Amino acid sequence: MALDINSIRADFPILSRILPNGKQLVYFDNAATSQKPQCVIDEMTRYYETYNSNAHRANHTLADEATTALENARKEIAQFFGTKPGNLVYTSGATEAINLVSYGWAKYNLKEGDVIVLTEMEHHADIVPWQELSKEKGIEVRYVPINTETYTLDMDAFEVAVKDASLVCVTHTSNVLGIRNPIEQIIQISKKYGAYILLDCAQGAPHEKIDFSALKADFIAISAHKMAGPTGIGCLLVSSERLEEMGPFMTGGSMIRKVTTEGSTFQEGHAMFETGTPRIAEAIGWGAAVKWLSQFEMKDIHDHVHEIAAWTGKEMNKIPGIKIYGDPSNKNSSGAVSFLHETIQSQDLAFLLDEGGFAVRTGHHCAQPLMDALGVPSTNRASFWIYNTQEEAESFISHLRNVCERFA
Amino acid sequence: MALDINSIRADFPILSRILPNGKQLVYFDNAATSQKPQCVIDEMTRYYETYNSNAHRANHTLADEATTALENARKEIAQFFGTKPGNLVYTSGATEAINLVSYGWAKYNLKEGDVIVLTEMEHHADIVPWQELSKEKGIEVRYVPINTETYTLDMDAFEVAVKDASLVCVTHTSNVLGIRNPIEQIIQISKKYGAYILLDCAQGAPHEKIDFSALKADFIAISAHKMAGPTGIGCLLVSSERLEEMGPFMTGGSMIRKVTTEGSTFQEGHAMFETGTPRIAEAIGWGAAVKWLSQFEMKDIHDHVHEIAAWTGKEMNKIPGIKIYGDPSNKNSSGAVSFLHETIQSQDLAFLLDEGGFAVRTGHHCAQPLMDALGVPSTNRASFWIYNTQEEAESFISHLRNVCERFA
Amino acid sequence: MEGASWPTHLTPIIEEFKDCFDSMERYELLFEYAKKHPSSLPIEEWNDKNQILGCQSRAHVKCSLDENGLFLLRAGADAQIVQGLMSITAITVNGMLPIEVAKLTPEFVKEMGLKSSLTPSRANGFLNMFNRVVSEAEVLSER
Amino acid sequence: MEGASWPTHLTPIIEEFKDCFDSMERYELLFEYAKKHPSSLPIEEWNDKNQILGCQSRAHVKCSLDENGLFLLRAGADAQIVQGLMSITAITVNGMLPIEVAKLTPEFVKEMGLKSSLTPSRANGFLNMFNRVVSEAEVLSER
Ligand SMILES: Cc1ncc(COP(=O)(O)O)c(C=O)c1O
Ligand SMILES: Cc1ncc(COP(=O)(O)O)c(C=O)c1O
């Protein structure tokens, strides 16, 4: 079913923003963060205005309401991702979720000589924690290369790398290339060789239904802010088997069972990893975002975004001097289109696009190893989501063509 | 100058809340979390509605506005705490701030046999991280006892414990007893013996001007949500000397300088500890909270709260069967008044107070070692802040008296 | 909902609560029921096995069948509100067939005007105890 | 503000920018200035010492005094917008006394209608370079 984009746009107050230079905002920086529908903003406001209270161990009405809302959000979000509330650990985002796997699971379960497999297209969030662990514990980190013609993972190299690996950490979708990795195949091969699997779904979750139970991954990291939710929250989805193997990471209140001056015992399950005052407003906001998203089929969102991205890619290819990194025409690609102009430097291009009201991201996108593989220091990246329109893409292409003609 | 409480109350929409049982909310759970003034809620809404964008490496208008707001908030908050923006590391709260000291400083700088001094009145957030570090690195943890008559720290025992200590971790103000520790003296003695000092100011910051430069502590942990700010954010204040000694904790995007498949180099200063998408809305909200607080003298807030707490304590003492833990009459005490009834169990009392609309907290308050020292499993705790009134305290005492008469 | 979801011998107790002037009076009544628990579990028998987890106060439950194969609930909690609710639960379930007990819902608490005792995050004291009773009844009915 | 905060020989350039039809035209003009940088720093001389930190693009600055003790700014950036601004800065400061350069503010960029190049979080390319020039001028004026 086609989405009613006009009515969707009406849910996002920011989309009518006029920039200081008088231009209408065209927001094409969705891979960095998405905008938030009014209902998400309102739910957080309602929390602060009517029932703000610390959660857990609640013995008054407000605390009870806040705790209930917090736990209902967990249920809602867990269900959205095809898992149980007990398998969802709230974190501050995908980055903290991956650090939690490193500190809370790998630290306790991997040993010197063990192998972790990454790919060249990982975000720094899925590289640096493993490099640090590698330094500390003598773990070997391997990088699966990408084919720089097709921009896809070298699956032969993957199969070689995974043979004696303990953990495979792969991004569902590249935030730079928009390429969606063959995660089902990656999971299947990893399992064949007995390796556990962490999926970085920061980019995948806004574009595709992530069904944790069906995928049978061990860990999945997600950020709320890229999928209509607020800043400051995300989660780690973790299988019950891996959860059992985990030990404490950050410690303090709430995650304990009993504290004495002699020592402490900890809660079990997700509670062991959620210490301190919870991100209450954030969880409630994310719950509202997931509810908002649930009125659509993720497949429809993907198709809509893909259509714009594919068209934009096609038109960009017609502009002399523009080179695309990735393959927006691929049916599985997400809405991220990375490109460079051969003579207009990327920061300059960003400025000139901004002058037209177009918000695109420019830089290494926290993926320097991928930049190295592509042989460029940075790219410009336009990334689309549910509320973007064909008209926006058309005006973007027309402005880009104009800029290229005048500044090349 | 006396505060205009009526006009202050008008800033807090939640205070006019009528509970489901028809009672007017009387919010006395401020030590758990404070309420938020409208301007704080509005600033976050304005962010989401008009300039939401990922921050840093900004090359478009929205990203620029978001980054500027994020960094202005850092300046505002740092200034409020008497320090420079570079000495403030954003965390998710006081708990994460203390874990950051443990993982980011102590792990790199303490060794087997070193001594950490805590007190019996610490919150679990300032106990469990040190117990964990102790297990991992063979560090000795000492607990300074409290005098259970005066509810104050045994300073003689402190002076003995600190003699060969490397780090002293003390709460500025007890969240259970309301007792404010002699932190200036503690810092001075610690320095005399060459021990570094971490102050847990989660409870201190809402009640007193925390001047990091004047105090000359090494680390200070703070939560925004207890001082009119949003959930999900707090900070670690850290001296430039200690900052230099710190190494990476959570890793990923933003905190790096350069990532290659061979290894990575990191940013310096606070940037090394802020990885992933920042808590943008939260920082902006906290900035607004600090601005809101800045219109008052913290001393006036303290005096106002102290007056209510002292009066409430005095009246409670007149109710047969009620025993207070702490000394609300002490001029330095914060607005937390812990109490128990000799026959009405604390959970029952919490329920019966809630029936009257009074939100008080009941439990071990994440301070089980203190509960052990006091010889009780839990307390009821009423805690006051800037917007509470003498009238609220009077109706509370009258309801409490009634409950005690009927249920004892 | 069709019909009452509790045994008829509970109705007079429910009525008693409904007749209370206000919630304070209801809680007074509940405290009285706590004192006249028909089969309270003495503190000596409280142990890890019969403890209810997730409770903020200490609460213990022991379910068995009497010589006639009928349900016997023994429960003890240090909070009187929880103990009062368990007392009423015991009055309700003692002497019932376990298979009947297994079908019980805590609906009656709402009817008594003590709804706030039922919200899962707060008084999980009582709700957790009640759920334990129901699941033990299920097990006992399968014997 | 009282009076212009830039040397008078900058005024014709500022006027040139003010006469532009729109921002796109202004940036075209800026690109031209980037090309006619009076004393650009060749890429061979870019090194860690003269690199501007915190820039998103690569930018390098070398300040010195000529034989007459007058300021000479050599700068190179791979972004043309930054290079254009540095070119105009060089036109401005070259031949000035270092003590005068030390007093300069980047006000003229705003006046030229390129304000958005000045926000600290975005184009810290140019701002950081400019601040480096001013602080090196300070040092050089104390010689
Ligand atoms: C004294 C003290 N320290 C630390 C904390 C932990 O703060 P947070 O839960 O915001 O991380 C609290 C709050 O409960 C506290 O009262
Ligand atoms: C693929 C990928 N992984 C991880 C992250 C990190 O997410 P966050 O910054 O929300 O922690 C991002 C977002 O930038 C991403 O695109």
Side-chain angles (χ1 to χ4, degrees), chain A residues 161-201:
Chain A
V162 80
K163 283 212 166 82
D164 53 351
S166 299
L167 180 65
V168 172
C169 306
V170 177
T171 192
H172 177 289
T173 295
S174 162
N175 64 322
V176 176
L177 307 167
I179 291 289
R180 192 251 198 218
N181 285 313
I183 53 162
E184 292 79 4
Q185 191 191 349
I186 288 171
I187 293 171
Q188 188 223 314
I189 298 173
S190 302
K191 292 214 178 262
K192 187 170 81 183
Y193 292 112
Y196 297 132
I197 183 120
L198 160 66
L199 285 185
D200 174 357
C201 288

Side-chain angles (χ1 to χ4, degrees), chain B residues 139-345:
Chain B
I139 284 164
E140 183 187 341
V141 175
R142 290 181 192 151
Y143 297 83
V144 177
I146 63 159
N147 178 325
T148 51
E149 304 275 298
T150 61
Y151 303 103
T152 54
L153 272 191
D154 180 338
M155 288 302 289
D156 292 337
F158 174 74
E159 184 134 9
V160 173
V162 81
K163 281 212 168 82
D164 54 351
S166 299
L167 180 66
V168 172
C169 305
V170 177
T171 192
H172 177 290
T173 296
S174 161
N175 64 323
V176 175
L177 306 167
I179 290 288
R180 192 251 198 220
N181 285 314
I183 52 161
E184 291 79 5
Q185 191 189 350
I186 288 171
I187 294 171
Q188 189 222 314
I189 298 173
S190 302
K191 292 216 177 256
K192 186 170 82 185
Y193 293 111
Y196 297 132
I197 183 119
L198 160 66
L199 286 185
D200 175 357
C201 288
Q203 295 294 332
H207 288 276
E208 204 179 295
K209 187 83 194 170
I210 301 296
D211 187 332
F212 187 57
S213 312
L215 281 171
K216 297 195 193 315
D218 295 280
F219 307 100
I220 285 184
I222 294 170
S223 287
H225 69 90
K226 293 187 202 276
M227 51 182 293
T231 58
I233 193 162
C235 72
L236 179 71
L237 306 178
V238 47
S239 71
S240 304
E241 296 76 42
R242 295 295 83 67
L243 192 55
E244 289 236 324
E245 297 167 359
M246 290 176 75
F249 171 32
M250 285 197 270
T251 58
S254 303
M255 55 76 70
I256 58 94
R257 202 191 286 295
K258 177 87 192 141
V259 175
T260 71
T261 53
E262 263 70 60
S264 302
T265 53
F266 303 120
Q267 300 264 18
E268 273 163 31
H270 69 83
M272 193 198 282
F273 307 102
E274 295 177 354
T275 185
T277 298
R279 300 157 173 95
I280 308 171
E282 289 86 343
I284 290 169
W286 194 12
V290 151
K291 215 161 164 177
W292 182 84
L293 275 175
S294 300
Q295 62 184 310
F296 313 110
E297 293 293 329
M298 290 306 291
K299 170 105 186 52
D300 290 338
I301 299 176
H302 176 89
D303 290 350
H304 168 72
V305 170
H306 171 70
E307 201 174 314
I308 296 175
W311 182 86
T312 304
K314 198 181 70 197
E315 293 302 310
M316 268 187 189
N317 275 328
K318 297 182 193 158
I319 301 175
I322 293 281
K323 177 175 160 71
I324 290 178
Y325 295 85
D327 179 9
S329 72
N330 185 313
K331 267 243 159 290
N332 286 324
S333 284
S334 79
V337 180
S338 267
F339 60 98
L340 281 175
H341 187 276
E342 61 183 358
T343 60
I344 307 174
Q345 196 262 1

